[in-house]
Amino acid sequence: MLQIKTLGIYDSGLGGFSIYHELKTTFPDLDMVLFADQLNAPYGNKSKEEIQTIAFEAMFRFQQAGIDSVLIACNTVSAVALDFLRESFPDMNLWGIIDITVSQVPIGASVGIVATQATVDSGAYQKVLQSSFTIQKALVDLVGLIENLEDIDTIKQYLVNDDVYNQDYLILGCTHYPLVSDVFETVSRAIILDSRLPIRQFVEKLYLPGEGKTSVFTSGEPAHLTNQIKSLFNYDEEVLEWNSLF
């Protein structure tokens, strides 16, 4: 049976930290490395080819560091590059976030999906939710608003009324979005789903208890991510330069 010794987590920014923080709190003996690729963020407005190139480089670096189990916490990469990455790195265990998230949806439910433009264009969620009625909306600017720590009123005004919010379930199809889930709750009557609970359940079954060694890396400015984490999570986290992993 596969057992995760060290879990790599890959995302474009703060969304990945939300997953990392959730797992660190729940499983204090889980060894983890988070890579937040803030230098290239946001991913959602890039082409498929650009995303694949960026993601390939990230997986190569994880591989070089001896980390062969990686959770791709980025919905955009999961949607447009997961198959490509699995073909490129056949000896690595790579898990996308979309199948994990969709596991919560009852058969036959109507589902609204909010995600980045690239994820919406890929139709990845609709392909998995074959037995459900789905409607999608691309929130092309929301990742930027969250990364810039915009105020709640600004974000609420951006989430204008739309049929996507009036379904049985609303999937927050980007790991940044749960950071403002309280705002979604004010505009949607749906049951709101994100990836945090099913990821906890998924990791619990697979990880090998270790020493709880954890590290956070960014391709951007470490002090910037440190300040973002402090502002959003009220948590002091040391952030390192990505190149220092090697």
Side-chain angles (χ1 to χ4, degrees):
M1 177 181 176
L2 169 67
Q3 287 189 304
I4 300 170
K5 295 180 180 179
T6 299
L7 178 65
I9 302 175
Y10 169 46
D11 189 59
S12 63
L14 285 169
F17 184 83
S18 70
I19 300 297
Y20 165 90
H21 187 259
E22 184 90 4
L23 293 175
K24 184 176 181 177
T25 302
T26 307
F27 309 115
D29 56 355
L30 171 62
D31 295 334
M32 286 186 295
V33 171
L34 167 66
F35 172 41
D37 187 18
Q38 294 184 296
L39 182 65
N40 291 305
Y43 284 6
N45 303 326
K46 298 183 185 299
S47 69
K48 177 179 179 179
E49 291 73 24
E50 288 177 299
I51 294 165
Q52 288 181 339
T53 298
I54 292 168
F56 180 94
E57 177 65 22
M59 290 308 105
F60 178 75
R61 291 189 175 200
F62 273 118
Q63 185 183 60
Q64 292 297 104
I67 298 170
D68 62 3
S69 296
V70 180
L71 174 66
I72 299 173
C74 178
N75 282 265
T76 300
V77 174
S78 296
V80 305
L82 181 58
D83 290 342
F84 165 76
L85 293 174
R86 284 174 170 165
E87 291 174 3
S88 301
F89 299 93
D91 295 329
M92 295 181 71
N93 305 305
L94 305 178
W95 299 287
I97 203 170
I98 292 175
D99 287 343
I100 294 175
T101 303
V102 165
S103 66
Q104 305 169 94
V105 178
I107 295 174
S110 65
V111 184
I113 304 157
V114 287
T116 66
Q117 189 67 60
T119 299
V120 167
D121 290 346
S122 75
Y125 272 98
Q126 290 177 314
K127 291 173 186 175
V128 178
L129 289 164
Q130 293 180 5
S131 61
S132 299
F133 171 79
T134 59
I135 182 172
Q136 300 187 102
K137 183 178 179 63
L139 301 177
V140 296
D141 298 321
L142 186 54
V143 169
L145 293 174
I146 294 171
E147 286 280 337
N148 291 331
L149 303 178
E150 294 289 348
D151 62 82
I152 296 299
D153 288 339
T154 299
I155 293 174
K156 186 174 181 179
Q157 290 173 13
Y158 178 71
L159 301 179
V160 294
N161 291 331
D162 192 282
D163 282 346
V164 74
Y165 302 121
N166 298 320
Q167 308 307 312
D168 297 329
Y169 291 85
L170 177 68
I171 291 177
L172 305 186
C174 172
T175 47
H176 280 76
Y177 296 177
L179 296 172
V180 292
S181 59
D182 54 336
V183 185
F184 280 102
E185 289 172 358
T186 67
V187 301
S188 176
R189 68 169 184 82
I191 297 171
I192 296 176
L193 302 176
D194 62 58
S195 57
R196 290 173 294 182
L197 173 60
I199 284 176
R200 287 203 311 268
Q201 295 170 336
F202 176 79
V203 171
E204 184 176 21
K205 296 175 183 177
L206 294 179
Y207 89 96
L208 183 67
E211 300 178 22
K213 293 181 179 179
T214 58
S215 301
V216 175
F217 296 86
T218 181
S219 57
E221 174 54 52
H224 178 60
L225 181 54
T226 298
N227 291 335
Q228 288 176 311
I229 291 169
K230 183 66 174 179
S231 296
L232 282 175
F233 296 87
N234 193 30
Y235 186 82
D236 293 313
E237 179 76 47
E238 181 182 15
V239 180
L240 306 171
E241 293 183 358
W242 180 225
N243 289 336
S244 67
L245 177 63
F246 310 102

